[in-house]
Amino acid sequence: MSERKSYYVTTPIYYVNDKPHLGHAYTTVACDVLARFKRLDGFDVKFLTGTDEHGLKIYQTAEKQGITAQELVDKFSANFREMNELMNISNDQFIRTTEESHKQSAQAIWQKMFDNGDIYLDKYTGWYSVRDEAYYSEDELTDGDNGEKLSPFGSPCEWTEEESYFFRLSAWEDRLLKLYEDNDDFILPKSRKNEVLGFVKGGLRDLSISRTTFDWGVKVPNDDKHVMYVWIDALTNYISALGYPDTDGEQFKKFWPANVHIMGKDILRFHAVYWPAFLMSAGIEPPKRIFAHGWWTAEGQKMSKSIGNVIVPAEIVEKYGLDQVRYFMMREISFGSDGNFSHDAMVGRMNSDLANNLGNLAQRSLSMIAKNCDGRVPKAGEFTTEDNALLEASGLRLLQNLRDEFDGQMFHRGLEKIWLVLNQANSYIDEQAPWTLKKTDIDRMNTVLYVVAEVVRNVSLLLQPVMPESSAKLLDLLEISYNNRNFSFIGIEHALVPETPLPAPKGVFPRFVEE
Ligand code: MSP
């Protein structure tokens, strides 16, 4: 048997100085959707997420709270695991950068870059933002109200002078540009690619990659006065999870280079510039793609603790339902663009897309089957042109459309295409009017109800990555066995077996009613 194709997708690893909010849940849900899609489509998938536990920001947060850094990271890392459970995330591994094996990987990649002549010792004098954990040059900063310097993300920066190791980033400019040129889809969306090109073409300066003023980090090999800059440590997680430096190991061979690292636009530079440079310097192939998604606002405003408008995943899941929230996140904004979370938009999607469209199609066809077909899958007669058109649109063609969209991380467009088919199916049922056929042509009624049940089956199979629980409920109502729920069963005629007794239909997508 030929080996199954592999697919490796990652979230960023989250800083543990804060509780998870909508933004974190968003990145993780998007990766989860992709991982589930690829598994159902026959790929051998590795889906990695985890927590970024070193660095000055964490160290200072622990100090403020009067606990040790280790206590802080243990407590907050658990919050991210809880978020995964809450959001029904199917990650294969959860990595923490405080794990011993990860630290060894980070030291191994450092050593490789050092041996390659890309690391040297010097002194860093310049600006640093603890909140962003990033170095900035003077011309990137703006002046704040009280004379302080602010990063492009509005974070305060401080002047820093200390002995530091540097990575010879300047030497990688041409090779990075060639990487972007040779791989047109390396950075997506395209608009973001231009941003990165501009940054690299503007000239790269060597990067300070170690600190001596605190020790909450991975020790630099052969110089333990220094801890590594948190981003070197953090980025390495993507390969330490595969057992690096054992590049001959099964995991590394199977899953590297990663198919896609997904993250927010704020940390694109680290992934699209620094990370491939580190990898190439260490003699490791760069990932295949970096995808930067947009940012959420809440009711039109930036989410912030001081405004008190931070959206907490547990609260919206409790209020609207888990799959409803997952669907909303993937459908409401184009993946790659910014968007807004509002109660009205959420309720709009819940009621119009889910309850009135998909929910109604399933509910009315299944109720008719319960009442008029003795609660059994109806037996279809000859298909008409209309029947075939709808069966084809909801079957292999829709699967292929979704593959194309999901391969480019265009989740919203994939969902749009599913809803076009649902609209078509709702019009079909209105036009065919099985409730009238009941009196005039029972055989034709059976065929129409069979066709609609088949559309519900196909669509439920395809919606599993986005709404796993609700799709499972629909597939249960159609008595589709667990073994028949992957994408190889899409569009297969007679997967719905006539005469199979079905359970009593139950609504799967409730309308949201204001209290
Ligand atoms: N620790 C680094 C990543 C290291 S990866 C090697 C980090 N962590 S983070 O916790 O600050 O952010 C993680 C992700 O959350 C980023 O992808 C970021 O863009 C995303 N979001 C944080 N706020 C967000 C919104 N308001 N909207 C959407 N996503 C945002 O950066």
Side-chain angles (χ1 to χ4, degrees):
M1 220 173 82
S2 70
E3 221 184 300
R4 293 202 301 162
K5 286 174 289 178
S6 61
Y7 198 87
Y8 183 28
V9 49
T10 66
T11 73
I13 46 172
Y14 300 103
Y15 284 131
V16 283
N17 60 319
D18 214 349
K19 288 209 174 123
H21 61 57
L22 174 69
H24 306 116
Y26 182 53
T27 320
T28 305
V29 166
C31 294
D32 184 59
V33 166
L34 188 53
R36 286 177 185 270
F37 187 92
K38 287 289 173 184
R39 285 191 202 107
L40 288 163
D41 209 14
F43 285 72
D44 205 343
V45 172
K46 180 167 177 107
F47 167 21
L48 177 71
T49 183
T51 41
D52 189 355
E53 307 192 356
H54 290 128
L56 191 50
K57 179 156 64 175
I58 308 271
Y59 182 78
Q60 290 181 346
T61 309
E63 259 190 342
K64 266 189 227 142
Q65 297 191 8
I67 54 177
T68 64
Q70 189 63 50
E71 282 165 346
L72 179 94
V73 300
D74 288 346
K75 184 167 124 201
F76 278 92
S77 179
N79 290 336
F80 282 91
R81 278 181 196 262
E82 271 166 33
M83 176 189 84
N84 289 347
E85 236 164 77
L86 172 81
M87 301 307 298
N88 196 2
I89 301 302
S90 65
N91 56 301
D92 298 287
Q93 187 178 341
F94 186 97
I95 193 167
R96 299 182 56 184
T97 54
T98 45
E99 287 163 23
E100 207 45 52
S101 56
H102 167 77
K103 291 190 213 167
Q104 284 168 15
S105 295
Q107 287 173 330
I109 194 171
W110 176 291
Q111 192 62 50
K112 280 270 186 206
M113 298 191 290
F114 185 87
D115 293 344
N116 194 31
D118 279 323
I119 291 181
Y120 62 93
L121 189 62
D122 203 341
K123 190 171 167 201
Y124 180 76
T125 41
W127 297 99
Y128 191 78
S129 156
V130 179
R131 196 193 292 165
D132 301 349
E133 292 283 21
Y135 300 93
Y136 292 107
S137 59
E138 185 87 36
D139 57 1
E140 289 180 286
L141 306 180
T142 50
D143 290 318
D145 290 342
N146 44 9
E148 60 181 355
K149 293 282 183 189
L150 298 179
S151 82
F153 300 101
S155 313
C157 295
E158 56 201 48
W159 185 255
T160 310
E161 288 189 23
E162 61 182 296
E163 184 187 88
S164 171
Y165 282 96
F166 281 78
F167 176 75
R168 220 177 282 285
L169 188 62
S170 54
W172 288 90
E173 206 174 298
D174 292 345
R175 279 168 287 187
L176 283 168
L177 291 173
K178 183 162 177 1
L179 172 72
Y180 309 146
E181 198 175 306
D182 292 350
N183 305 278
D184 201 31
D185 289 344
F186 179 71
I187 301 169
L188 286 180
K190 287 270 155 49
S191 52
R192 300 257 164 241
K193 175 177 179 166
N194 296 336
E195 220 174 87
V196 173
L197 280 179
F199 173 71
V200 175
K201 283 184 181 156
L204 293 174
R205 298 191 320 158
D206 290 354
L207 186 68
S208 162
I209 52 165
S210 75
R211 308 293 304 259
T212 53
T213 48
F214 64 98
D215 70 352
W216 182 243
V218 181
K219 298 247 182 296
V220 165
N222 306 317
D223 192 351
D224 59 14
K225 235 179 38 237
H226 290 253
V227 292
M228 289 180 197
Y229 173 39
V230 62
W231 271 99
I232 295 227
D233 159 6
L235 288 161
T236 309
N237 92 88
Y238 301 130
I239 54 173
S240 62
L242 302 179
Y244 183 81
D246 182 11
T247 49
D248 288 328
E250 193 208 326
Q251 286 264 307
F252 195 92
K253 282 212 318 234
K254 186 167 196 172
F255 292 113
W256 195 259
N259 294 76
V260 60
H261 295 315
I262 296 183
M263 81 241 22
K265 61 182 183 178
D266 52 318
I267 52 175
L268 174 60
R269 187 185 293 181
F270 298 96
H271 285 83
V273 182
Y274 303 165
W275 180 227
F278 296 159
L279 286 166
M280 290 190 282
S281 164
I284 307 168
E285 226 184 302
K288 292 188 188 144
R289 177 174 302 162
I290 308 292
F291 194 106
H293 66 65
W295 268 47
W296 286 93
T297 48
E299 304 290 344
Q301 275 184 309
K302 186 173 181 225
M303 272 193 283
S304 100
K305 269 195 261 180
S306 49
I307 305 179
N309 65 345
V310 173
I311 295 189
V312 179
E315 289 171 10
I316 51 175
V317 166
E318 159 95 32
K319 185 164 180 183
Y320 306 111
L322 169 63
D323 280 351
Q324 283 75 1
V325 168
R326 287 175 59 110
Y327 171 76
F328 178 82
M329 284 177 173
M330 293 299 104
R331 178 64 188 82
E332 182 66 6
I333 58 180
S334 317
F335 202 62
S337 308
D338 293 339
N340 180 41
F341 189 97
S342 76
H343 171 76
D344 291 349
M346 176 76 225
V347 172
R349 292 269 172 216
M350 247 182 107
N351 289 350
S352 63
D353 298 8
L354 297 179
N356 293 353
N357 196 334
L358 168 60
N360 193 32
L361 180 75
Q363 186 59 17
R364 60 180 174 157
S365 52
L366 289 169
S367 316
M368 277 207 76
I369 291 175
K371 279 201 211 102
N372 305 300
C373 311
D374 192 23
R376 291 165 189 269
V377 175
K379 199 162 175 294
E382 280 289 289
F383 290 136
T384 62
T385 322
E386 290 84 9
D387 301 344
N388 279 323
L390 183 58
L391 288 170
E392 277 161 30
S394 74
L396 288 178
R397 197 185 325 145
L398 187 56
L399 170 62
Q400 195 48 50
N401 281 334
L402 256 73
R403 281 185 180 135
D404 293 345
E405 300 299 356
F406 280 38
D407 274 340
Q409 286 74 50
M410 293 287 100
F411 307 114
H412 61 291
R413 282 225 296 257
L415 288 171
E416 236 169 66
K417 291 194 170 150
I418 295 183
W419 258 260
L420 285 177
V421 170
L422 288 171
N423 291 341
Q424 194 182 334
N426 273 309
S427 308
Y428 168 89
I429 201 167
D430 288 342
E431 280 155 22
Q432 300 292 328
W435 42 89
T436 311
L437 292 170
K438 187 168 103 181
K439 294 170 218 142
T440 56
D441 186 348
I442 286 282
D443 287 346
R444 180 64 196 147
M445 176 199 78
N446 282 335
T447 308
V448 169
L449 290 177
Y450 177 89
V451 169
V452 178
E454 177 61 4
V455 173
V456 174
R457 185 184 70 90
N458 282 331
V459 164
S460 306
L461 290 175
L462 289 169
L463 279 173
Q464 292 176 97
V466 178
M467 297 190 282
E469 285 178 354
S470 312
S471 310
K473 282 186 197 159
L474 289 173
L475 293 166
D476 288 346
L477 290 175
L478 291 169
E479 279 296 345
I480 303 298
S481 73
Y482 284 102
N483 294 335
N484 293 3
R485 292 186 182 191
N486 65 52
F487 292 166
S488 68
F489 291 91
I490 301 243
I492 297 276
E493 243 180 83
H494 309 305
L496 262 180
V497 185
E499 298 297 327
T500 309
L502 300 178
K506 271 195 236 94
V508 174
F509 295 104
R511 281 184 67 78
F512 184 88
V513 189
E514 278 320 322
E515 300 203 337

